Amino acid sequence: MLTDFGRILVFMVVSVIFVIGAILAAKLVRPSRPSKEKLMTYECGEDTIGSPWVKFNLRFYVVALIFLIFDVEIVLLIPWALVYKEFGLQGFLIGGIFLFLLGLGMAYEWRKGDLEWIRPKPVPPVLKKEPSTVKVEVQA
Amino acid sequence: MTYDFFSKLFGSDLIAALIQSLLPLFIFILPYALFAVWWERKVSAHMQDRLGPMRVGWHGALQTIADILKLFQKEDIVASSIDKPLFNIAPVLMFVGTYAAFAAIPFSSVFIGSNLDLGVFFIVAVSGFSVAAILMAGWASDNKYSLIGAMRSAAQIISYEIPTILVIITIVMVTGTLNLTTLSEMQTGHFWNWMILGGPGSSLSKFLLIPSMILGFGIIYISTLAEVNRTPFDIPEAESELVAGYHTEYSGMKFAMFFLAEYANMLAVSSVVAALFFGGYQSPCGYLGNLIGLKWLIPIEQIFWFTAKGLFFVFVQMWLRWTLPRLRVDQLMNTCWKYLIPLAFVNLIIIGLITLI
Amino acid sequence: MGLLDKQFAKESIVVTSLEDLLNWSRLSSLWQVGFGLACCAIEMMATSASHYDFDRFGVIPRNSPRQADIIIISGTVTLKMATRIKRIYEQMADPKYVISMGSCSNSGGPYWEHGYHVLKGVDRVIPVDVYVPGCPPRPEALLEGLLKLQEKIRNESLVKKTA
Amino acid sequence: MKNIQEIFDILKEKFGDSILELLTTLPVESFITIAPKKINEVCLFMRDNEELKFNSLMCLSGVDDANGKQVKDENGAVKIEGSTLSVYYHLESTEFRHKVTLKSSAPKENPEVESVALIWHHADWHEREAWDLVGIKFLNHPDLRRILMPYDWEAGHPLQKDYKNPEFYHGMKVPY
Amino acid sequence: MIQYFKNIYSAIATIFIGMKITFKHLFVPAVTIQYPDVKPKLPDRERNRLYVNFDDCIGCDQCARACPVECITVDTVKGLPTEDLGKTSQGKKKALWVTSFTIDFAKCCYCQLCVFPCPTECIYMTDIYEFSEYERSNLIYNFSILTPKEAEEKKANYARFEAEKAAEKAAKAAAATPPANASKEQ
Amino acid sequence: MALKTEHMTLNMGPQHPSTHGVLRLEVELEGEIIKSVQPHIGYLHRCFEKHAEAMTYPQVIPYVDRMDYLAAMYNEFGYAVAVEKLLGIQVPERVEYIRVIMGEFQRIASHLVAVGTYGLDIGAFTPFLFCFRDRERIINLFEMTCGARMLYNYIWVGGLSHDLHPDFVRNAKEFVSYFKPKVKELNDLLSYNRIFIDRTANVGILPLETAINYGISGPNLRGSGFEWDIRKDDTYSVYNKFDFDIPVGKGLQGTVGDCWDRYYIRIQEMGESLKIIEQALEQLPEGDVTSAIPKRIKPPVGQVYSRVENPKGELGYFIISNGSPNPFRVKVKGPSFVHLGIMNELCKGHMIADVIAILGSIDIVLGEVDR
């Protein structure tokens, strides 16, 4: 007898086979005519400038971190949610305190501005009145 | 249960499980995906005073088949600068994540891939596969649009998982179970037993629950929209900014897999929402099979209702898509962290208090 | 090496019916690179808009050339743009088709004589399947060009041509 | 509201020799001719002067006057020698609603005109265009590159009257 | 705080308004013209492919001169005085053989400037727009009804006529003036 | 955050869905924040000015059409006004009225495309198709009059190529009554949508003084709150006979001069144009439209700078004549060319998505930018 998760494994295996099978089957039909330009990275028909693999914004990690905290706390909440009714008000309060702390943490993060996606206030263009007198080299 | 039936028929669990897992793919998801793509084009067309596909088959009914067959013959471009293993794994992973979710969705009272006790959570967990897949696709492509799309998508999907889970917890608090079949069974009878109307029973708390449940439904529906990257939350593939987002570099069958997974995902989240709040496969008004005494009719009716509800929510997703503009990434995060999560919290506490009464 | 790269020496029922199926699917789902150049692009947009509705023919714009089958050169191709067009065309996945829409991309159009910066016909950089005349062509004319292209695809064959 | 004569008088008083002449014999529009090396000072004055306040530059155009004599070189190509390139400035004051046209000419061999790009910012692109198409060099321009033609265009400035188009560009045949 | 709930309200309200509109349009009949099956009637001033009613063409080259694109080329050769070139429908006598009258529709910009100067109204724009081609050379239309062979013939005819006339003239001149002078002229 | 992310240079265009043609933006990014935007233009440089020097005055008109191909009628209008000024001729009143009617229809059509594609940029597909559906009706009116759908060659120096079609007035009135409720629908669907407002309000704010110095004109200048319209302030043709308002940006949803204001100006201007059309149709005088067309156009030696209020802004023609039938030099000041110059200033510090919003709100047409 397969366990419940065993069946899910079968599901996954079937889907992997399906996808790989479909892609391989297409290989029987599809043409393959690579060329140098075709294998270049697409960027609207222009040459790419620099690699996209750059250090990315820290903001993403902050979100991931907050998410992690929440996720862990939520995992703790599930067993509580399943059974708290058996303990009546007391049971609810235990979870309630936990939730309150979670909420407090969230409020703190909110206040701290960690929930804000970085969005620096763009300054409307201000007119520079005087023309600069710095000589700029003229390209011929 | 069909599983036991197959198991007896072939005398092997493995074969039964195989059949069990192939069935939804071939009798449900593929036809559905074919239908949904055509339907989306038709719905969008009629919303825009157009006609949509008309030239192949009746009102273009064969359009998606032609599309798939064409994608089948398309060259598979693997650009030279990409990270090949990741690039190839991503579509597989994307589809696996989606498809595994179907394992835990009850299509009817007799057919469920795997009747997990943790059904809902399994689905939420497994949908995390798509985050990994999208990130892989975006990263591997060596394309700036893909990368930005993938980054946005990762942030978006994990953020919106929190309100989803919070709402699911409220359901768990009310019903005391995570098993989707049990959940659906609880909402049997008529539509007033559905969770959106406070669940079964007729106590005072049921009526008190109604507003909270509607709020919870709203939150989970919006978050699931975001999790499957539909407008107004389609910024990972935001066409007008990022060309095609994380699958910009994909062509041919690999792209088709992303496409298929997207539509399958839409159905998956719709059926979860239906199972949580709208009685899953349950009929809103009793069964014809019960009425005329044909017991075998009931599962078929259930499949019908399941499909109908799933498709209805998919339709609403399409409807929203063709109505709304898309949000910007910071607004998207704001919506999640400042609106949905606090509201879900408050909702959780209110429901906790109500259930104590 | 896929089927489409092969050329069969002889005709057979299997080959021809398979070929018919493949041709049918290709011709009824021509996804287009969402790409406009000049005046004709507006008529191209009008063609996908409600009154003419490209979607009826299965044409939907895909912004990434990787997923598109057909590129409609809709407008004047300048020298500065020509290399980009060539690259976008190159980056499309085979099988792919080109419609040259309007006088400018057919032969430089009104700019053929004094246009020091205009490429005189897009067929100098990429192979063109159908030329749609007009300046700009009516949406119907573009649709007719598409039908002509479909006709061309319908007659494509896996069988080696014997002269 | 000031007419062109009054504007000319103000300018003449202020700048003297830099303001060359006022041409009013033309049937439609009159213009003031200004020395090319002084144009930025004049323009700055015109923008900031309380009586003039030309806060808007409507248009800046480079023109090849083609007023020299035609010379045939050994290949039979026609060249125009000894002509001038001019820049026309059309100014307007949105406050006083008066308009004026300025002209500044420089010899074609050494077409140097002072830039006004920092006085009216959109002159930046207009001047780049004038450089690109007509070949007028703007001194002290922040970023004088080609703008419409490809950056690697080598055949000269196409709006000059004796411009010859190249046969090939990046392997593509240019003439029909 | 009030702003917070106002935001939620306005978002939901406007989304519902939008959804109402799109839903309504689901049932509005489509405006689509199903082109290959249904062809709309075009207005009578429609400007598409040019047509030259060659019977009326007198080869005056006005259209070619008016064309900003120079996509019209008209080659003519004078008819012999003995030949009858026919008349236009307005009764005007033709004097020129139009050996070729080509319009390159791959260049034409459909501006209608060639139509107005035509003295016999033989060039006009029609409502035919369906003429896309697989080959660009097929877009060059020759309206002349003379076959190339006939055209050659006419040219040769006229050249011969000219030569004859010149010869006649020369002979006349030779007869009239002393031969020494004639050789100087040549 | 003290840690800096590396800058990334991203090309948007020339083949990009929302650069409205073949514009290339070289965007320098830090994460998703714009450090600078460098527009590269010229991908559609079709050598208009060179062509104009090789053509006679009437032959230039088809090329004029092809500059701002979304407002071809208005380009012709501007060119005709300029050459007539140079020639010093008066055109019959009926011609002027028809020009105004056509021009205003063209303004609506152009704004419809601007508004529709703006919706598309923000992510709403349906309004785009609604706009094109309504534009199609205007195009039908044009087609009925002169036979072409987009590039008309209708307004000639001194007159018009055709008189109005007998059915035109009736159809035009029909359109006016058809279109009024559509504007409201568009507003409900897009303009007042909360998401749309969030995306556009307080984004890309353009202060008035900067706008004037950068030569911004038309709806973009009015969006910054300056009541300036060449139709009224430097009037030409018969615009002084009509009663209409100049909508200015008031900052209804955010700050004056933001993207929403610029967008909403266009919506309001469509209403004003309808007003003008209605009045012009009422007052339309009788007369001959071709009588004033000169047989040979050979202006005297001289020069003229003439400008009109194109749907996109101030369209100026600078024509130098040396007395021959061909213009010596035609320089066009296209509003889009000028407006694009401010992209860098406007975009700094915004996010990628805002670049699209800003670019859409200044409504450029590449044919006019590059000419």
Side-chain angles (χ1 to χ4, degrees):
Chain A
M1 187 73 189
L2 284 170
T3 61
D4 284 342
F5 284 103
R7 294 194 213 169
I8 284 168
L9 185 67
V10 175
F11 253 81
M12 287 184 169
V13 171
V14 163
S15 54
V16 169
I17 291 171
F18 171 74
V19 176
I20 294 177
I23 292 173
L24 287 183
K27 198 167 188 173
L28 296 176
V29 178
R30 66 172 182 237
S32 165
R33 297 161 197 161
S35 70
K36 190 167 159 276
E37 281 223 309
K38 189 181 265 178
L39 299 185
M40 276 161 83
T41 304
Y42 164 76
E43 197 170 308
C44 289
E46 284 291 334
D47 288 326
T48 49
I49 304 169
S51 166
W53 292 329
V54 294
K55 287 192 204 102
F56 226 80
N57 200 310
L58 209 62
R59 178 60 31 179
F60 287 100
Y61 306 113
V62 175
V63 168
L65 216 63
I66 300 177
F67 163 73
L68 206 67
I69 295 164
F70 268 83
D71 233 26
V72 170
E73 284 165 355
I74 282 164
V75 168
L76 289 176
L77 273 177
I78 302 166
W80 168 78
L82 280 169
V83 297
Y84 80 102
K85 270 189 263 185
E86 289 170 29
F87 301 100
L89 188 64
Q90 200 189 353
F92 177 74
L93 279 182
I94 291 168
I97 289 166
F98 188 67
L99 273 174
F100 175 71
L101 288 177
L102 201 58
L104 209 64
M106 169 121 174
Y108 176 72
E109 278 156 14
W110 193 335
R111 262 307 285 283
K112 275 282 278 183
D114 274 350
L115 297 184
E116 303 283 338
W117 196 255
I118 357 169
R119 182 168 165 69
K121 273 238 159 300
V123 193
V126 195
L127 195 59
K128 289 157 256 158
K129 262 284 184 185
E130 286 305 311
S132 90
T133 46
V134 186
K135 283 262 179 193
V136 183
E137 211 170 301
V138 177
Q139 288 183 11
Chain B
M1 296 288 278
T2 47
Y3 182 77
D4 301 328
F5 172 74
F6 289 127
S7 172
K8 269 193 198 115
L9 191 66
F10 296 102
S12 157
D13 276 347
L14 199 61
I15 294 177
L18 262 178
I19 294 176
Q20 189 85 338
S21 55
L22 285 170
L23 272 181
L25 183 62
F26 285 102
I27 66 168
F28 206 77
I29 294 170
L30 286 183
Y32 151 78
L34 293 182
F35 173 73
V37 175
W38 173 78
W39 202 37
E40 166 132 43
R41 286 169 82 167
K42 276 306 207 189
V43 165
S44 66
H46 282 278
M47 275 179 183
Q48 295 153 353
D49 297 350
R50 305 185 282 136
L51 286 170
M54 285 299 280
R55 305 275 300 170
V56 281
W58 179 82
H59 279 248
L62 300 179
Q63 187 62 53
T64 349
I65 295 174
D67 284 348
I68 292 288
L69 267 176
K70 182 216 64 187
L71 283 172
F72 204 69
Q73 330 168 27
K74 286 294 271 184
E75 188 184 4
D76 180 37
I77 300 174
V78 182
S80 44
S81 59
I82 60 153
D83 189 337
K84 285 201 180 65
L86 282 185
F87 188 78
N88 291 328
I89 291 171
V92 181
L93 201 61
M94 184 85 183
F95 190 75
V96 171
T98 310
Y99 191 60
F102 278 94
I105 291 172
F107 291 87
S108 81
S109 56
V110 297
F111 189 91
I112 177 164
S114 171
N115 193 8
L116 290 175
D117 278 339
L118 282 172
V120 199
F121 270 93
F122 170 73
I123 292 172
V124 171
V126 107
S127 66
F129 267 52
S130 61
V131 184
I134 289 175
L135 260 182
M136 276 185 188
W139 180 261
S141 292
D142 184 27
N143 184 313
K144 288 161 193 165
Y145 303 116
S146 300
L147 187 70
I148 295 173
M151 283 299 199
R152 286 175 171 190
S153 173
Q156 169 187 342
I157 295 179
I158 60 172
S159 301
Y160 275 85
E161 223 153 74
I162 296 169
T164 316
I165 302 175
L166 283 174
V167 172
I168 290 173
I169 287 180
T170 63
I171 298 284
V172 174
M173 284 164 76
V174 175
T175 60
T177 179
L178 280 165
N179 186 318
L180 274 173
T181 319
T182 322
L183 254 170
S184 305
E185 286 300 328
M186 280 171 81
Q187 305 177 47
T188 186
H190 290 82
F191 61 86
W192 52 81
N193 285 339
W194 289 355
M195 289 308 292
I196 187 95
L197 295 176
S202 57
S203 55
L204 175 66
S205 64
K206 172 185 160 83
F207 295 102
L208 287 176
L209 273 177
I210 292 176
S212 296
M213 279 299 169
I214 290 174
L215 178 61
F217 164 71
I219 292 170
I220 200 171
Y221 196 76
I222 293 170
S223 343
T224 52
L225 265 183
E227 285 202 39
V228 296
N229 298 336
R230 296 289 293 184
T231 316
F233 306 107
D234 65 342
I235 55 158
E237 41 196 304
E239 287 188 341
S240 56
E241 303 148 33
L242 297 182
V243 185
Y246 59 88
H247 53 61
T248 304
E249 288 281 332
Y250 282 87
S251 62
M253 255 345 233
K254 284 180 194 151
F255 166 68
M257 286 302 146
F258 278 113
F259 210 62
L260 188 64
E262 186 191 330
Y263 279 87
N265 232 334
M266 278 163 69
L267 182 70
V269 296
S270 298
S271 7
V272 171
V273 169
L276 288 178
F277 285 96
F278 291 87
Y281 50 76
Q282 302 285 6
S283 150
C285 47
Y287 291 105
L288 195 68
N290 274 338
L291 206 66
I292 57 177
L294 297 171
K295 284 287 175 212
W296 55 266
L297 203 61
I298 293 177
I300 296 171
E301 275 182 66
Q302 284 173 338
I303 293 256
F304 167 76
W305 285 113
F306 175 82
T307 321
K309 285 174 194 170
L311 282 183
F312 174 74
F313 287 114
V314 170
F315 168 73
V316 177
Q317 286 180 351
M318 293 172 182
W319 184 6
L320 280 168
R321 170 168 181 183
W322 298 108
T323 307
L324 297 181
R326 76 171 67 84
L327 288 164
R328 198 170 51 213
V329 61
D330 61 312
Q331 291 161 351
L332 184 97
M333 297 313 247
N334 272 354
T335 317
C336 178
W337 292 101
K338 296 195 176 162
Y339 289 90
L340 297 183
I341 293 180
L343 285 176
F345 257 119
V346 172
N347 200 25
L348 184 75
I349 291 166
I350 292 172
I351 286 179
L353 287 174
I354 292 170
T355 46
L356 281 180
I357 298 170
Chain C
M1 202 63 176
L3 189 63
L4 288 184
D5 272 340
K6 289 208 175 73
Q7 293 272 289
F8 292 92
K10 265 215 268 162
E11 227 170 288
S12 75
I13 292 279
V14 182
V15 171
T16 44
S17 52
L18 183 68
E19 167 193 300
D20 282 350
L21 180 71
L22 294 182
N23 286 349
W24 168 79
S25 71
R26 239 177 305 141
L27 72 89
S28 29
S29 140
L30 289 166
W31 293 358
Q32 163 213 350
V33 189
F35 178 40
L37 277 169
C39 336
C40 292
I42 305 299
E43 283 299 63
M44 192 176 79
M45 275 150 85
T47 319
S48 19
S50 301
H51 268 84
Y52 300 97
D53 194 7
F54 243 161
D55 206 7
R56 281 187 299 129
F57 298 82
V59 180
I60 47 173
R62 295 293 318 173
N63 293 319
S64 165
R66 304 282 192 198
Q67 296 143 15
D69 312 285
I70 171 177
I71 181 166
I72 300 178
I73 308 293
S74 54
T76 317
V77 185
T78 58
L79 294 175
K80 206 173 177 179
M81 195 63 202
T83 46
R84 274 80 177 178
I85 285 182
K86 186 163 171 13
R87 181 171 299 169
I88 289 163
Y89 171 76
E90 284 288 337
Q91 291 188 340
M92 286 163 67
D94 278 288
K96 52 194 174 188
Y97 304 95
V98 180
I99 290 183
S100 158
M101 179 188 184
S103 289
C104 292
S105 63
N106 287 347
S107 73
Y111 304 98
W112 73 272
E113 207 182 357
H114 307 284
Y116 50 84
H117 187 229
V118 176
L119 187 72
K120 316 302 186 299
V122 75
D123 46 6
R124 289 188 182 180
V125 285
I126 58 176
V128 175
D129 289 291
V130 175
Y131 296 88
V132 181
C135 193
R138 293 179 63 79
E140 286 104 326
L142 181 58
L143 292 178
E144 197 253 352
L146 190 81
L147 291 174
K148 274 248 169 72
L149 179 65
Q150 292 191 337
E151 212 46 56
K152 186 171 180 174
I153 298 171
R154 206 190 300 280
N155 294 328
E156 272 180 7
S157 175
L158 291 174
V159 181
K160 211 177 263 173
K161 274 205 190 75
T162 43
Chain D
M1 192 85 185
K2 285 195 162 39
N3 68 25
I4 192 156
Q5 189 63 50
E6 290 164 336
I7 294 167
F8 180 73
D9 292 342
I10 293 174
L11 290 179
K12 194 80 194 170
E13 192 183 324
K14 171 88 181 149
F15 289 101
D17 287 349
S18 311
I19 311 299
L20 303 177
E21 57 172 331
L22 168 68
L23 199 70
T24 47
T25 50
L26 292 174
V28 189
E29 244 173 39
S30 320
F31 56 81
I32 302 171
T33 317
I34 293 171
K37 297 284 166 63
K38 287 284 181 222
I39 186 82
N40 56 344
E41 286 167 30
V42 176
C43 282
L44 186 64
F45 170 77
M46 287 174 86
R47 187 189 74 179
D48 292 339
N49 186 286
E50 284 303 314
E51 282 177 83
L52 300 174
K53 274 203 173 165
F54 282 105
N55 54 357
S56 161
L57 172 71
M58 290 189 290
C59 186
L60 186 153
S61 345
V63 178
D64 177 11
D65 292 328
N67 47 5
K69 65 171 193 290
Q70 294 195 351
V71 186
K72 268 196 183 162
D73 66 5
E74 59 270 30
N75 299 331
V78 179
K79 277 246 173 254
I80 301 174
E81 273 176 10
S83 65
T84 55
L85 303 179
S86 312
V87 188
Y88 286 83
Y89 304 82
H90 293 86
L91 311 181
E92 187 198 20
S93 162
T94 51
E95 205 176 318
F96 300 129
R97 306 274 158 108
H98 50 215
K99 295 185 264 186
V100 74
T101 310
L102 309 180
K103 180 188 174 184
S104 186
S105 301
K108 197 175 171 186
E109 284 68 42
N110 185 25
E112 284 176 346
V113 180
E114 279 290 333
S115 165
V116 296
L118 294 164
I119 300 171
W120 297 284
H121 281 86
H122 84 278
D124 182 344
W125 278 26
H126 277 298
E127 287 180 354
R128 275 178 73 185
E129 190 195 316
W131 157 247
D132 186 2
L133 299 182
V134 188
I136 298 163
K137 266 183 214 157
F138 288 93
L139 303 177
N140 297 329
H141 187 280
D143 178 24
L144 196 66
R145 281 178 298 156
R146 285 195 179 270
I147 184 165
L148 295 174
M149 304 295 286
Y151 295 124
D152 56 354
W153 191 258
E154 279 158 1
H157 304 282
L159 277 192
Q160 292 186 348
K161 294 282 178 185
D162 52 359
Y163 169 77
K164 279 280 288 173
N165 217 19
E167 270 302 297
F168 284 94
Y169 171 73
H170 281 256
M172 290 173 288
K173 193 170 166 235
V174 178
Y176 184 74
Chain E
M1 200 62 188
I2 296 168
Q3 190 57 39
Y4 183 84
F5 287 106
K6 255 190 189 157
N7 280 348
I8 297 177
Y9 170 76
S10 74
I12 292 174
T14 52
I15 285 172
F16 272 109
I17 291 173
M19 287 175 79
K20 206 174 78 193
I21 291 172
T22 40
F23 193 72
K24 225 165 54 197
H25 274 274
L26 268 182
F27 306 103
V28 172
V31 292
T32 311
I33 305 156
Q34 300 211 45
Y35 158 68
D37 311 323
V38 185
K39 291 185 186 176
K41 199 189 163 299
L42 296 178
D44 43 4
R45 289 177 187 173
E46 188 57 33
R47 258 161 55 183
N48 280 303
R49 192 171 73 187
L50 282 164
Y51 180 73
V52 182
N53 184 359
F54 201 72
D55 290 339
D56 278 4
C57 181
I58 54 169
C60 63
D61 205 30
Q62 293 266 24
C63 46
R65 257 177 283 153
C67 180
V69 183
E70 301 186 19
C71 66
I72 306 176
T73 32
V74 186
D75 282 339
T76 52
V77 61
K78 271 193 189 141
L80 304 183
T82 49
E83 276 176 319
D84 179 24
L85 285 86
K87 283 179 180 168
T88 66
S89 57
Q90 288 153 331
K92 220 172 164 184
K93 250 190 125 177
K94 292 189 193 175
L96 296 167
W97 288 112
V98 183
T99 50
S100 89
F101 192 114
T102 56
I103 302 182
D104 187 348
F105 287 109
K107 287 177 195 159
C108 178
C109 73
Y110 305 86
C111 62
Q112 214 183 7
L113 280 176
C114 53
V115 173
F116 292 94
C118 183
T120 58
E121 290 174 19
C122 73
I123 183 167
Y124 49 85
M125 302 209 105
T126 59
D127 58 359
I128 302 164
Y129 50 83
E130 299 157 301
F131 58 114
S132 49
E133 295 286 352
Y134 298 126
E135 290 296 327
R136 189 167 93 191
S137 51
N138 292 351
L139 283 173
I140 303 175
Y141 282 55
N142 191 354
F143 288 96
S144 170
I145 44 173
L146 297 181
T147 59
K149 211 175 138 209
E150 277 177 319
E152 280 308 308
E153 201 180 307
K154 304 291 178 212
K155 267 182 206 158
N157 272 350
Y158 184 67
R160 199 168 339 112
F161 172 71
E162 279 284 273
E164 273 168 22
K165 219 164 78 176
E168 211 172 290
K169 224 178 183 175
K172 239 187 214 162
T177 51
N181 257 357
S183 63
K184 208 186 254 173
E185 263 174 33
Q186 278 164 7
Chain F
M1 291 303 135
L3 265 170
K4 278 268 188 284
T5 33
E6 274 179 54
H7 288 197
M8 179 200 264
T9 311
L10 179 74
N11 276 313
M12 290 170 108
Q15 184 257 338
H16 190 275
S18 48
T19 49
H20 295 230
V22 287
L23 171 66
R24 173 177 158 214
L25 296 175
E26 195 182 310
V27 185
E28 200 186 332
L29 292 171
E30 182 188 317
E32 286 219 12
I33 312 289
I34 309 290
K35 287 281 133 191
S36 74
V37 173
Q38 190 69 46
H40 293 271
I41 62 174
Y43 290 94
L44 192 57
H45 178 46
R46 300 195 278 196
C47 335
F48 166 77
E49 285 160 15
K50 191 85 177 172
H51 280 91
E53 289 169 16
M55 303 285 155
T56 61
Y57 283 89
Q59 282 179 341
V60 174
I61 292 176
Y63 291 91
V64 165
D65 280 339
R66 282 160 182 78
M67 276 191 321
D68 180 357
Y69 37 81
L70 286 175
M73 207 58 108
Y74 229 100
N75 288 0
E76 293 166 6
F77 195 171
Y79 178 76
V81 167
V83 179
E84 279 154 16
K85 224 185 212 174
L86 196 57
L87 286 167
I89 53 175
Q90 268 291 317
V91 291
E93 188 127 87
R94 183 177 171 85
V95 173
E96 295 282 25
Y97 271 84
I98 294 174
R99 281 179 181 181
V100 167
I101 292 169
M102 292 298 173
E104 294 308 312
F105 269 128
Q106 185 72 77
R107 188 183 306 277
I108 296 175
S110 171
H111 282 348
L112 275 175
V113 176
V115 166
T117 49
Y118 194 42
L120 192 65
D121 291 345
I122 302 293
F125 200 75
T126 307
F128 164 71
L129 287 182
F130 284 1
C131 289
F132 259 76
R133 179 197 63 201
D134 298 338
R135 178 178 175 267
E136 201 71 24
R137 289 193 166 228
I138 299 176
I139 285 183
N140 285 344
L141 287 176
F142 288 149
E143 194 179 11
M144 183 177 161
T145 316
C146 68
R149 280 169 54 87
M150 262 184 69
L151 309 169
Y152 311 104
N153 187 18
Y154 178 63
I155 296 175
W156 286 2
V157 177
L160 306 165
S161 73
H162 296 87
D163 200 352
L164 289 181
H165 192 276
D167 290 343
F168 181 88
V169 175
R170 186 169 52 80
N171 287 8
K173 279 180 180 160
E174 236 172 61
F175 172 80
V176 170
S177 54
Y178 159 85
F179 188 62
K180 273 180 183 159
K182 297 290 171 196
V183 177
K184 193 187 168 297
E185 190 180 274
L186 190 65
N187 276 336
D188 283 342
L189 189 57
L190 191 63
S191 318
Y192 300 137
N193 184 298
R194 184 71 206 181
I195 298 175
F196 181 77
I197 291 173
D198 278 353
R199 278 297 302 279
T200 53
N202 289 326
V203 168
I205 299 160
L206 178 59
L208 179 59
E209 205 178 329
T210 317
I212 293 176
N213 193 277
Y214 271 88
I216 307 293
S217 54
N220 298 337
L221 182 62
R222 294 194 277 276
S224 297
F226 187 31
E227 200 175 316
W228 177 263
D229 188 324
I230 299 168
R231 286 177 292 175
K232 275 210 166 145
D233 290 309
D234 189 5
T235 190
Y236 54 94
S237 194
V238 283
Y239 274 110
N240 50 8
K241 293 190 181 162
F242 306 116
D243 170 38
F244 62 98
D245 301 322
I246 304 170
V248 289
K250 296 194 179 70
L252 288 179
Q253 307 289 347
T255 320
V256 176
D258 57 10
C259 289
W260 195 86
D261 268 352
R262 289 196 282 272
Y263 160 87
Y264 199 61
I265 294 285
R266 299 202 165 87
I267 296 267
Q268 287 174 307
E269 271 189 15
M270 290 199 271
E272 298 303 321
S273 292
L274 284 180
K275 259 198 226 166
I276 297 175
I277 291 169
E278 269 179 332
Q279 293 169 39
L281 286 173
E282 285 308 317
Q283 304 165 14
L284 189 65
E286 291 298 317
D288 186 6
V289 298
T290 50
S291 59
I293 299 177
K295 270 271 169 295
R296 283 178 71 243
I297 298 180
K298 222 171 155 183
V301 179
Q303 45 155 315
V304 67
Y305 179 81
S306 147
R307 52 183 186 164
V308 291
E309 183 76 20
N310 180 284
K312 305 212 162 36
E314 175 188 319
L315 173 73
Y317 285 93
F318 176 51
I319 302 176
I320 304 180
S321 157
N322 61 352
S324 74
N326 296 6
F328 181 75
R329 174 87 166 92
V330 179
K331 153 93 187 183
V332 179
K333 182 235 174 180
S336 306
F337 178 78
V338 177
H339 294 172
L340 198 56
I342 203 172
M343 270 302 283
N344 187 23
E345 296 293 325
L346 273 186
C347 288
K348 266 182 202 162
H350 285 80
M351 307 181 84
I352 300 187
D354 295 330
V355 176
I356 303 300
I358 293 168
L359 184 63
S361 77
I362 62 174
D363 183 27
I364 52 156
V365 162
L366 263 296
E368 196 178 64
V369 175
D370 298 341
R371 279 154 288 153

